Amino acid sequence: MALEVVARADAPIPLHVSFRAEPGELLALVGHSGSGKTTLLRTIAGLWRPQSARVSVDGEVWLDTAAGINLAPHRRHAGLVFQNYALFPHMTAAQNVMAAMDRRTPNLRDEAERLLALVNLPGLADRKPGQLSGGQQQRVAVARALARRPQVLLLDEPFSAVDRATRERLHDEIIALRAHLKMPVVLVTHDMNEAQLLADRMVVIERGGVVREGTTAEVMTDPVALRTMGIREVAANLPAVIVEQEDDGLTRLQASAGPLFLPRVEAPVGTRLTIRIPAQDVILSRTRPEGLSALNVLPATVTAVRLGEGPGAIIQLRAGEDLLLARITRRSALALELAPGVACFAILKTVAVAQTNVGVAR
Amino acid sequence: MDWTALFLSLRLAGWTVVILLPVSILAGRFLAYRQFRAKGLVEAIVMLPLVLPPTVFGFYMLLAFGRNSPVGAFWQATFGHQLVFTFEGLLLASVIFNISFAIQPAQRGFEAVPAEVREAAACCGMSPWRSLWNVELPLAWPGVMTAMVLTFAHTLGEFGIILMMGGSIPGETKTIAISIYDRVQGFDMAGAGIMSATLVAISLFTIAVTYMLSARVGRRLS
């Protein structure tokens, strides 16, 4: 009951990719523009046919060039959210959603309103796209894609056309919406941090080929994948739960490796959060540090050391059940004799745990 | 006032529009979306009636549909009268002569529909026909309507080709434009003046109504 994709092409762009997405899973295809990730999405939707490809969903073959099978896009149950939404400009929000529904659906209008409410857009059903903001248009596009009762939901850079504040709100909404989604979801994005926030698994694509594939934590702490993406501000995402709101304005959280202190997070005790820890702001020590101003120190074990070509090095660490990254100098890495299996302490500078990067955990 | 000639012109223009409407939509859509090697040549042929003098066009029409042509001979054998110098012959010439006006604006109209919106229609499960009806036509409609209005108004005013193809048979091929010319030839300046003014009024009315309607479509879209 999964989405399976194999695609090969030489022109117009080289493509040599295969991947699989399970039901309910959010898979991110990450890569630079021109890497071929949108082409893959269009292949799934039936808007493009590579020289050689096979696409199947729930065991149903949509495209098999070898067997001569190629279902027209309107016969594939794929919900696609376009980068610029591609709403029908002459229809209202509700009509846009209804246009994608099976016309035998009873109470079309009620169902459209239910979907618009699901994407947090109640009360705007009778507005035309031109009367909606970018974020509202994106929500209509998501509702329209879901209206098809798709077997797979495809999101093509759906957050790129809105401002930063709206984007963060839409991220939270997609995370919340996922509880209602039973189908595989494929997200195309060039933003590793966005993928890290939203995806269960990631496929990093570069020049039409897969560079790295794995769970989000694996990929985001893999130096090779990060270097491919040219990511300098690499960060690890750590799940944590709010334990206590302390009197001095700090919030105490519990991560798998130990307690963490953040400036006041306005959320009730018990809220699950994702904490972002930039590799730049992690200091390593072989012994438990004393007399430091830093509040957040987690015991960890080195799992990988990657010495870069320059003076830098990236150290991957396991802290409790989670992965952390530290960007330190090559000289320090050698001096501390860091190698896989070595125990150490990760000192996290509190200021680095930015509140805006705290997402609501799913 | 030659009412017979006026109604004949309106009948000719009306039928030309009726026949060219589906041609306009299908050919305009095809030329807008498809890329093929001979596209430039096809577009040039579509534009040809626009640049040719109507007499030249009419001359070739006479050759193509006259009694000695295969089409003319077939018509004569089937219906017992010749094709040229009849209303049907006039309509045929009018349809062909108006192809530029009927296709070009419609093509521009369909070109204005973003490819992404058409793809979205397909991804919403719409068959090509439903997509045409529910998404593309409403968006390309200003172009298609312009095409039809131009065709209508242009047919009303056409002179040269009708003279070549139809002659001047009252109630059959004598349109308002021909009638006006006849009046001027007969020094009936008053009659010619009334009919000219009527033609101006009808043309102006048609175009004004279209602009008003397309402005409304424009508002509907924004």
Side-chain angles (χ1 to χ4, degrees):
Chain A
M1 298 290 109
L3 164 73
E4 290 178 279
V5 179
V6 182
R8 282 197 186 90
D10 303 317
I13 56 157
L15 206 59
H16 194 99
V17 172
S18 74
F19 61 87
R20 182 186 164 89
E22 303 295 333
E25 178 182 66
L26 197 153
L27 177 80
L29 301 179
V30 193
H32 298 294
S33 59
S35 62
K37 54 197 194 305
T38 293
T39 305
L40 283 167
L41 219 55
R42 293 173 62 81
T43 304
I44 300 171
L47 300 172
W48 194 65
R49 193 181 70 85
Q51 277 94 334
S52 162
R54 190 173 196 281
V55 175
S56 70
V57 179
D58 294 350
E60 192 182 310
V61 179
W62 285 359
L63 172 67
D64 189 339
T65 47
I69 300 172
N70 184 9
L71 252 62
H74 68 278
R75 299 193 188 283
R76 304 183 185 199
H77 276 259
L80 175 54
V81 175
F82 288 79
Q83 185 167 2
N84 295 307
Y85 319 131
L87 296 176
F88 306 130
H90 58 302
M91 298 184 189
T92 64
Q95 286 168 341
N96 263 281
V97 175
M98 288 191 282
M101 284 181 192
D102 188 331
R103 277 175 295 179
R104 288 163 296 185
T105 314
N107 306 323
L108 271 177
R109 171 82 198 192
D110 292 348
E111 177 65 9
E113 303 220 346
R114 188 187 71 78
L115 282 166
L116 287 171
L118 187 68
V119 296
N120 290 317
L121 206 67
L124 299 174
D126 293 322
R127 295 258 187 105
K128 297 263 174 69
Q131 300 164 319
L132 296 172
S133 72
Q136 290 167 338
Q137 290 186 31
Q138 194 257 21
R139 293 179 179 98
V140 176
V142 171
R144 184 177 70 175
L146 291 174
R148 251 207 110 187
R149 300 184 176 284
Q151 288 166 276
V152 54
L153 180 63
L154 309 171
L155 310 171
D156 185 8
E157 300 267 12
F159 310 104
S160 63
V162 290
D163 61 77
R164 190 192 154 97
T166 307
R167 187 178 313 147
E168 280 170 10
R169 207 160 49 241
L170 292 173
H171 283 159
D172 288 347
E173 290 182 12
I174 287 287
I175 290 168
L177 182 67
R178 285 200 48 206
H180 303 272
L181 306 181
K182 308 277 181 284
M183 73 293 274
V185 183
V186 182
L187 166 74
V188 157
T189 179
H190 64 275
D191 184 344
M192 283 286 261
N193 297 329
E194 180 174 282
Q196 185 178 22
L197 187 66
L198 301 175
D200 301 311
R201 285 200 310 121
M202 290 166 67
V203 176
V204 180
I205 295 171
E206 180 66 17
R207 275 183 248 120
V210 176
V211 174
R212 183 74 163 88
E213 181 181 1
T215 66
T216 300
E218 284 167 5
V219 174
M220 282 312 289
T221 53
D222 178 63
V224 177
L226 295 174
R227 207 169 58 152
T228 305
M229 290 303 294
I231 295 216
R232 304 212 161 273
E233 290 173 30
V234 20
N237 274 4
L238 237 58
V241 183
I242 296 183
V243 180
E244 199 183 341
Q245 302 288 8
E246 302 196 342
D247 297 336
D248 57 358
L250 291 182
T251 297
R252 183 151 66 93
L253 297 102
Q254 186 66 38
S256 67
L260 288 172
F261 298 89
L262 269 78
R264 178 71 80 233
V265 179
E266 295 300 342
V269 168
T271 304
R272 292 167 52 76
L273 302 171
T274 302
I275 307 300
R276 188 170 167 78
I277 301 170
Q280 308 273 27
D281 297 323
V282 176
I283 296 167
L284 297 181
S285 168
R286 288 292 297 266
T287 55
R288 179 173 276 281
E290 309 250 327
L292 265 185
S293 67
L295 283 169
N296 296 316
V297 179
L298 296 176
T301 310
V302 175
T303 47
V305 175
R306 172 88 189 179
L307 300 177
E309 281 148 23
I314 291 184
I315 314 296
Q316 188 193 53
L317 307 135
R318 180 163 291 282
E321 289 159 18
D322 302 303
L323 290 171
L324 274 183
L325 282 180
R327 183 184 282 277
I328 60 175
T329 59
R330 174 194 280 263
R331 185 183 296 179
S332 306
L334 296 174
L336 291 174
E337 294 175 337
L338 295 177
V342 169
C344 62
F345 290 88
I347 301 146
L348 320 175
K349 295 192 260 175
T350 306
V351 287
V353 188
Q355 209 145 350
T356 51
N357 284 331
V358 178
V360 179
R362 40 183 185 270
Chain B
M1 180 70 202
D2 188 346
W3 291 107
T4 317
L6 178 63
F7 284 127
L8 181 71
S9 280
L10 290 173
R11 193 153 66 101
L12 182 66
W15 276 110
T16 306
V17 165
V18 167
I19 292 170
L20 280 177
L21 179 62
V23 175
S24 158
I25 292 170
L26 296 178
R29 182 179 192 244
F30 181 84
L31 287 175
Y33 300 162
R34 296 293 182 85
Q35 301 302 326
F36 51 96
R37 203 174 302 168
K39 187 170 176 176
L41 181 65
V42 172
E43 285 178 318
I45 291 171
V46 165
M47 287 302 284
L48 203 55
L50 211 55
V51 292
L52 279 183
T55 42
V56 171
F57 199 82
F59 171 75
Y60 283 114
M61 286 278 166
L62 270 182
L63 282 189
F65 302 126
R67 209 183 316 195
N68 298 324
S69 71
V71 179
F74 169 78
W75 190 275
Q76 178 93 37
T78 315
F79 296 100
H81 61 85
Q82 61 174 337
L83 183 53
V84 291
F85 306 118
T86 62
F87 181 75
E88 290 85 355
L90 214 53
L91 183 57
L92 182 64
S94 174
V95 163
I96 296 173
F97 191 50
N98 274 297
I99 272 188
S100 332
F101 295 93
I103 292 180
Q104 259 269 334
Q107 181 183 344
R108 297 288 166 262
F110 280 105
E111 279 169 354
V113 181
E116 227 182 28
V117 169
R118 286 187 280 126
E119 290 174 346
C123 288
C124 283
M126 293 189 196
S127 64
W129 278 110
R130 227 185 113 205
S131 169
L132 171 65
W133 192 249
N134 290 341
V135 175
E136 296 161 41
L137 257 186
L139 296 176
W141 190 243
V144 174
M145 198 153 71
T146 304
M148 292 305 108
V149 169
L150 284 179
T151 300
F152 187 85
H154 181 235
T155 309
L156 274 191
E158 184 45 43
F159 177 77
I161 193 165
I162 288 171
L163 202 61
M164 296 288 283
M165 258 307 261
S168 175
I169 305 162
E172 186 72 27
T173 62
K174 188 175 181 178
T175 62
I176 184 95
I178 306 280
S179 186
I180 292 170
Y181 181 71
D182 280 359
R183 294 292 166 98
V184 174
Q185 293 271 296
F187 298 107
D188 178 6
M189 296 309 276
I194 290 170
M195 285 195 280
S196 297
T198 311
L199 204 56
V200 168
I202 292 174
S203 302
L204 197 61
F205 176 78
T206 322
I207 293 171
V209 165
T210 322
Y211 274 127
M212 263 148 54
L213 288 177
S214 13
R216 186 178 297 176
V217 172
R219 272 202 304 280
R220 198 159 53 90
L221 292 181
S222 61

